[in-house]
Amino acid sequence: MMPQEARPRLAPKVRLRLDQKTNRYLLLYPEKGMQLNPTAADIVQLCTGEHTVAEIISRLAEKYSSQPREVIEREVLSFLDALSERALVRTEP
Amino acid sequence: MSGSRPYTLVAELTYACPLRCVYCSNPVDYGRHADALDTDAWLKVLRDAEDLGVVQLNLTGGEPLLRKDLEALVAEAERLQLYTNLITSGIPATRERLARLRDLGLDNVQISVQDVTAAGADRIAGRHTFERKLRVARWVKELGLPLTLNIVLHRENLGHVEEMIAFAEALDADRLELANTQYLGWALVNRSALLPTAEQLAEAREHAAAARERLKGRMEILFVTPDYYVERPKACMDGWGRRFLLVSPDGLVLPCHLAHTLPGLTWESVRQRPLADIWRDSEALNAFRGEAWMPEPCRSCDRRTVDFGGCRCQAYHLTGSAAATDPTCSLAPHHGLIEAARREAQSAPREPAAAASALLPEASALVYRSARLHPAGE
């Protein structure tokens, strides 16, 4: 699991774009793409290498305040892990 | 039946290539297809494709770096926010040109490598190119561009998969495609020399799986099984005319690399009609969309919406009918053809027939890609 103080950044092979057909964000990488739901898109947009995992969780918790923080935290961490396993995000040393 | 939204445009910019790979995916008669689209025509293809929903662009060929207007295409793709992957032999690349393409917005460079030794690689490519490719792959990484290595597997190099992984690690590749030869086009001509045994495949697959686990998060490793060793066919191109849209060097709008080798279908060109109209209305594209064309056992099969009946080109080139069930399916009436090829691979010698005469096609068991084999008008 990604540590709270890690600063995730999208890997160089990844491109994020808005899909005109669906108005959803797409994460594009070699031969593949992933359609992001709004929460996932919020997380990915914060993967700039500037924000720590803890900060990303706080931002999301603020934005989706109707949801319990634990739920948000779990979602952020599992999504970041999935991205990291596929080498789509890296963490700054 | 009209087209769903395509996601990927495969732009085959030219069939010309400095290599003569014995498993080239270009049609055997590629010499008949001239490069017919100028820069403006390709730019329009990119814009029209994006309009249809395309978000991924594969710039390929042949060798796309032979096009002098590649820079203009990459710049337009960047403007359209397409994910642009350059699929290249690497041979004509210079460091300066790669840097320029990077600055214009190129997203990924995919270099083909034929084997991990110069002798093995050059024998398959029919040219001395291995060292050059190594240098180009290093430039790609030095320039900060993501690097995919694509190594096509067959009986002569399947035993080298561990070394291939080490090779990719040493180059710090971001992605390694260990893609078994699919036996169509030139590879079908050379099938008896290239088709591996089930044991060779199983061993290679294990090495790939172990490395995938070990390198998780660092390098993506893909292992693609040859169709000849699957129980059920693969969803070729994710289904005919569904997610992939291919434009050939002469401007034809195709569902895949080889559809223009199928008889009885008339392919339309972007020079004559807008891309969107062709994608929606082309009789050839609509011929194998949906399920109406399917014979039994596909028609009543639970997997018909999963594999879409497999590969139409494989069906035609093996059975003579493009509408037959893909013979790689163990339920297909023509599956015996696949079993016979596997038996032949099992009894063939492990060592290449003429390794000593590596670059002398006339003395070797391999047929090298050439425009002269099927010249125009033949």
Side-chain angles (χ1 to χ4, degrees), chain A residues 13 15 17 19 21 32, chain B residues 5 50 56 78 83:
Chain A
K13 68 174 177 183
R15 176 187 278 265
R17 74 166 277 175
D19 182 10
K21 299 276 170 193
K32 290 192 205 114
Chain B
R5 165 197 179 164
E50 202 268 343
Q56 291 260 6
E78 170 68 14
Y83 190 95

Side-chain angles (χ1 to χ4, degrees), chain A residues 12-17 19-22 26 28-33 84-85 87 90, chain B residues 5 50-53 55-56 78 80-83 105 107-108 146 174-175 216-217 220:
Chain A
K13 68 174 177 183
V14 178
R15 176 187 278 265
L16 180 70
R17 74 166 277 175
D19 182 10
Q20 320 291 353
K21 299 276 170 193
T22 59
L26 291 173
L28 301 171
Y29 45 105
E31 312 268 325
K32 290 192 205 114
S84 159
E85 272 201 7
R90 293 172 179 182
Chain B
R5 165 197 179 164
E50 202 268 343
D51 218 34
L52 275 171
V55 289
Q56 291 260 6
E78 170 68 14
L80 296 166
Q81 290 188 279
L82 300 176
Y83 190 95
D107 289 293
N108 191 70
D174 298 86
R175 176 176 157 99
K216 198 184 273 177
E220 190 187 350

Side-chain angles (χ1 to χ4, degrees), chain B residues 99-238:
Chain B
R100 205 153 62 230
L101 292 168
R102 174 200 62 188
D103 295 343
L104 289 168
L106 183 64
D107 289 293
N108 191 70
V109 179
Q110 173 173 324
I111 298 183
S112 66
V113 176
Q114 283 67 24
D115 206 338
V116 284
T117 64
D122 294 350
R123 168 173 155 80
I124 289 298
R127 291 263 192 275
H128 294 295
T129 56
F130 182 72
E131 300 297 334
R132 171 90 195 155
K133 280 167 178 275
L134 254 181
R135 197 161 358 132
V136 175
R138 290 198 186 102
W139 289 338
V140 169
K141 286 303 294 189
E142 284 166 20
L143 291 165
L145 276 161
L147 172 68
T148 296
L149 291 180
N150 175 284
I151 309 185
V152 175
L153 303 176
H154 46 78
R155 65 185 299 127
E156 288 189 15
N157 69 4
L158 262 166
H160 308 162
V161 161
E162 278 184 293
E163 291 84 350
M164 290 171 187
I165 292 160
F167 176 85
E169 277 187 83
L171 280 170
D172 195 21
D174 298 86
R175 176 176 157 99
L176 172 62
E177 293 183 357
L178 297 167
N180 271 278
T181 307
Q182 300 299 350
Y183 294 91
L184 290 159
W186 292 90
L188 185 55
V189 174
N190 285 304
R191 189 180 69 187
S192 61
L194 297 176
L195 190 67
T197 65
E199 291 70 32
Q200 279 185 293
L201 264 177
E203 202 181 309
R205 191 186 291 111
E206 265 179 44
H207 290 312
R212 188 179 302 124
E213 193 53 37
R214 182 170 62 82
L215 297 170
K216 198 184 273 177
R218 276 196 287 154
M219 189 196 299
E220 190 187 350
I221 300 181
L222 205 76
F223 187 87
V224 184
T225 305
D227 289 2
Y228 277 54
Y229 286 96
V230 295
E231 270 298 293
R232 294 286 173 269
K234 283 188 237 161
C236 191
M237 303 306 283
D238 263 339

Side-chain angles (χ1 to χ4, degrees), chain B residues 3-42:
Chain B
S4 52
R5 165 197 179 164
Y7 282 84
T8 300
L9 168 65
V10 180
E12 292 190 322
L13 300 178
T14 176
Y15 282 139
C17 184
L19 302 189
R20 303 190 295 146
C21 299
V22 296
Y23 45 60
C24 179
S25 61
N26 291 159
V28 174
D29 68 348
Y30 72 90
R32 293 185 214 206
H33 300 268
D35 294 356
L37 299 189
D38 61 15
T39 308
D40 284 344
W42 274 115

Side-chain angles (χ1 to χ4, degrees), chain B residues 21 25 40 114 172 246 256 291 300 367-368:
Chain B
C21 299
S25 61
D40 284 344
Q114 283 67 24
D172 195 21
L246 185 141
C256 71
E291 298 173 11
S300 57
V367 179
Y368 289 85

Side-chain angles (χ1 to χ4, degrees), chain A:
Chain A
M1 185 163 295
M2 208 178 273
Q4 295 273 336
E5 66 278 10
R7 296 175 194 272
R9 175 200 287 272
L10 280 183
K13 68 174 177 183
V14 178
R15 176 187 278 265
L16 180 70
R17 74 166 277 175
L18 193 64
D19 182 10
Q20 320 291 353
K21 299 276 170 193
T22 59
N23 217 28
R24 291 283 179 88
Y25 276 97
L26 291 173
L27 204 56
L28 301 171
Y29 45 105
E31 312 268 325
K32 290 192 205 114
M34 194 191 286
Q35 193 181 68
L36 303 177
N37 65 30
T39 328
D42 288 335
I43 298 170
V44 166
Q45 283 172 298
L46 291 169
C47 291
T48 59
E50 296 156 275
H51 310 286
T52 63
V53 172
E55 283 165 17
I56 294 174
I57 293 167
S58 295
R59 291 268 198 113
L60 270 283
E62 231 169 83
K63 182 163 178 184
Y64 301 95
S65 55
S66 62
Q67 296 250 26
R69 192 187 163 96
E70 310 85 74
V71 175
I72 299 272
E73 174 157 357
R74 211 163 44 233
E75 269 188 31
V76 171
L77 289 173
S78 75
F79 184 55
L80 285 176
D81 279 343
L83 293 177
S84 159
E85 272 201 7
R86 295 184 208 188
L88 300 176
V89 299
R90 293 172 179 182
T91 53
E92 295 296 299

